[in-house]
Amino acid sequence: MEIRQLRAFVAIAESGTFTAGAVRVHITQAAVSMQIRQLETETGAKLFIRAPRNVILTEAGEKLLERARHILLEHDAALEEIAEFAGAKRGRLRIGSASAGVTAEFLPRILKDVRKHYPNADISVTSGTSDALVQQILAAEVDIAFVSLPVEARGIHTERLNEDQLVAITSPRHALARQRTVSPYALAGERLILGERGGNTRRLLDEFFAQAGVKPTVAMELSRQAAIKRMVEEDMGVGVVPLQSVREEVEKGRLVRLWIEGAQINWQLGLARLTGGYASPMLQGFIGLCHKYFSGATNDATKKTRTSTKRKSKPTKRR
């Protein structure tokens, strides 16, 4: 049983056809077919059922797929570790992000520091919903990902990086902009602009409205917070986003923040990776940098909040 055979097997199992599998491993379809025949001969079991348009894993194939993913993961990790000891300063780091804010603001600075220590590293970044990225981690397609917490999937280890409160946002021209708070009933009656389903942020909001006994009017479901904020600025509706993501727009007067009555909806951002998976020195360094940068950002946000509060408070008149 060779590594190249297992790579071909996993590629076909995940893509669903021999043709797509061959493309993924960069060899011809004939070569892939030969490797699978050799693998089936060695294991003594049929691994695929050939259907007209795709292939279906047999029971033996399903068992092998689970093992093969772990074997390939350990194989790649061993090569990375040996390269570290050899001083090659190379390796592979596949990152996923369910947050556009993280990708745009934090990740460039973190990866700049990673590059200083690992100039020859092969680093890739993938975006998607938290649920989709967790599935990619389980399929060994992503090493680590920024996701909304909690993650309920088995086999996934998470650690919290940041916590924020969800708030409602409107344009300064909206009728609600004169208020400091908004009830769940009033909020549900507005044209809401929310994140797409499949993420924990949206799940928290859906649960909040369900507990309040109201059905929200969802006008738009967008995948990026930047898009939600822009739509709200143009008076297309009322959005709900994490507080830290909208501080700048609120301070500049482009948006108005409203606290949501009846509940403090906390949104948590964390890192997710395989439980018990090998953590290369580069991955460990990346995790440490994430905690460092997010800890600094939290402290800066706290200072800004205190400064803003002092600025808004009126001085006491002397008698």
Side-chain angles (χ1 to χ4, degrees):
M1 192 178 295
E2 300 179 6
I3 292 296
R4 62 190 179 88
Q5 294 172 344
L6 292 178
R7 287 199 192 282
F9 168 72
V10 171
I12 295 167
E14 292 180 349
S15 61
T17 67
F18 275 70
T19 302
V23 171
R24 280 183 57 172
V25 294
H26 308 293
I27 59 176
T28 65
Q29 184 174 338
V32 163
S33 297
M34 181 180 294
Q35 289 180 3
I36 298 304
R37 284 197 299 272
Q38 292 171 345
L39 197 55
E40 288 180 329
T41 299
E42 184 174 351
T43 58
K46 194 173 183 63
L47 302 175
F48 293 109
I49 298 172
R50 277 73 167 176
R53 294 186 178 181
N54 63 346
V55 293
I56 303 169
L57 281 170
T58 63
E59 187 176 356
E62 291 176 354
K63 294 292 184 183
L64 180 60
L65 179 60
E66 184 178 347
R67 295 285 186 179
R69 283 170 170 165
H70 287 288
I71 290 170
L72 293 176
L73 193 65
E74 289 299 321
H75 170 268
D76 294 344
L79 291 181
E80 289 181 18
E81 190 170 25
I82 292 169
E84 295 289 342
F85 283 114
K89 296 296 183 182
R90 67 176 72 247
R92 183 184 67 185
L93 183 58
R94 299 167 300 177
I95 305 163
S97 178
S99 169
V102 169
T103 306
E105 183 178 353
F106 291 95
L107 202 49
R109 289 180 285 162
I110 293 170
L111 293 184
K112 182 179 179 181
D113 279 358
V114 172
R115 282 288 188 196
K116 290 178 183 178
H117 299 285
Y118 302 92
N120 300 318
D122 179 15
I123 300 173
S124 63
V125 179
T126 303
S127 62
T129 64
S130 295
D131 287 351
L133 290 173
V134 166
Q135 292 307 312
Q136 290 184 56
I137 293 172
L138 291 170
E141 296 173 354
V142 168
D143 300 311
I144 193 165
F146 296 95
V147 298
S148 297
L149 301 180
V151 172
E152 298 177 353
R154 294 179 60 185
I156 295 293
H157 167 79
T158 62
E159 46 195 285
R160 188 173 67 86
L161 289 174
N162 190 25
E163 183 171 303
D164 203 356
Q165 184 173 356
L166 295 180
V167 295
I169 54 172
T170 72
S171 80
R173 298 170 296 280
H174 195 280
L176 291 176
R178 304 182 186 91
Q179 303 176 193
R180 295 189 61 184
T181 62
V182 61
S183 71
Y185 310 100
L187 191 59
E190 295 291 334
R191 289 174 54 83
L192 294 180
I193 305 174
L194 306 178
E196 63 182 345
R197 295 182 185 276
N200 279 338
T201 304
R202 179 58 185 274
R203 180 183 59 78
L204 288 171
L205 286 172
D206 289 343
E207 289 177 356
F208 167 71
F209 284 119
Q211 290 171 4
V214 294
K215 185 176 181 180
T217 305
V218 181
M220 299 184 192
E221 295 177 313
L222 305 175
S223 61
R224 294 286 178 261
Q225 288 179 16
I228 294 174
K229 292 188 289 185
R230 190 75 183 98
M231 288 291 184
V232 173
E233 284 186 43
E234 295 298 328
D235 288 308
M236 300 303 294
V238 176
V240 181
V241 296
L243 175 60
Q244 291 181 24
S245 71
V246 78
R247 287 187 185 279
E248 182 179 348
E249 290 84 356
V250 171
E251 289 176 359
K252 291 182 178 180
R254 300 206 305 267
L255 291 172
V256 175
R257 174 215 67 209
L258 297 134
W259 303 110
I260 302 172
E261 294 176 3
Q264 185 174 350
I265 314 171
N266 290 327
W267 170 82
Q268 293 185 333
L269 175 74
L271 288 172
R273 57 191 175 97
L274 276 180
T275 300
Y278 169 74
S280 67
M282 180 165 60
L283 180 57
Q284 293 176 31
F286 174 78
I287 293 171
L289 287 169
C290 288
H291 282 286
K292 172 186 173 184
Y293 276 96
F294 277 92
S295 176
T298 301
N299 292 336
D300 289 344
T302 301
K303 290 178 181 177
K304 285 183 180 180
T305 301
R306 289 173 179 172
T307 302
S308 177
T309 302
K310 289 179 181 178
R311 196 179 297 144
K312 290 178 181 179
S313 60
K314 297 179 180 180
T316 304
K317 294 182 180 180
R318 294 184 179 179
R319 293 184 178 179

